[in-house]
Amino acid sequence: MSTDSAGGVRRVAIVTGGSRGIGRETVRRLAADGHAIVVNYAGNAGEARAAVDEAIAAGGQAIAVQADVADEKAVAALFDTAERTYGGVDVVVHAAGRMYLAPIAEVDLAELDALHRTNIRGTFVVAQQAARRTRDGGAILLFSTSVIGTALPRYAPYTATKGAVEAITMILAREMRGRNITVNTVAPGPTATALFLDGKDQETVDRLAAQPPLERLGTTADIAEVAAFLTSPAGHWVNGQVVRANGGLV
């Protein structure tokens, strides 16, 4: 069991995709709340190490563990490490994902298969371990996208995978009955991450930033605050929901 400097019990969180973007900011935010965190990453060990350092500086404990989220053996080992290091798992934030954009008529089916492997299979694999191994009273948080509502052209491959995530959320929340575990999804709008900005010119970025009534892009901190609330005791009455954190988009 992980303890803080005062001898209290720390909650333990696994954050997939924790080395960059929204996942990394969520690591820092949960660390500021005193969590012990397992930072999962796909391949960039240097960025994962930096995320661990930031978490420790923010007041948490942290280690980094590499795992392909679509590989069930690797994800089981990820949970094994969390349990062995910190005594159990209370919070699972599944922020890992990939994006591929193309008009439906031009979709590369090999790219679509790769997208499905990470975003759908990966979500099932992580959710399966989370359902089996999150301690009673804990929280599971997945990620979707507000493009499900805005229906932007070229986003069909990506958005279709996130529609699957929303369906998983609703059903898993009901399957957790009797264990006091919440299951929710955050669906960000346009957020200033490398994943979002990659391949977009400034005109496109400015146009998307102007769409919300709040007239700006979201920040990783905006989304991490929502994640922290939904996985905290204060947010525990919110369950089986998709929270569209998007500044007022449809």
Side-chain angles (χ1 to χ4, degrees), residues 109-132:
L109 295 180
E111 291 282 356
L112 184 67
D113 288 344
L115 191 68
H116 283 189
R117 184 180 186 277
T118 298
N119 291 4
I120 299 179
R121 179 186 169 89
T123 298
F124 266 106
V125 169
V126 173
Q128 184 176 69
Q129 288 297 319
R132 292 172 177 173

Side-chain angles (χ1 to χ4, degrees), residues 49-69:
R49 181 64 244 176
V52 166
D53 291 343
E54 290 169 5
I56 293 171
Q61 295 175 298
I63 59 170
V65 178
Q66 191 277 334
D68 172 0
V69 295

Side-chain angles (χ1 to χ4, degrees), residues 143-187:
F143 276 85
S144 179
T145 174
S146 284
V147 183
I148 287 179
T150 58
L152 293 176
R154 303 182 68 245
Y155 275 78
Y158 177 70
T159 303
T161 66
K162 295 305 186 176
V165 172
E166 294 192 9
I168 292 167
T169 301
M170 305 306 177
I171 293 169
L172 183 57
R174 286 149 181 81
E175 292 178 349
M176 292 293 96
R177 178 182 291 275
R179 296 189 47 202
N180 194 28
I181 293 172
T182 63
V183 185
N184 293 291
T185 279
V186 179

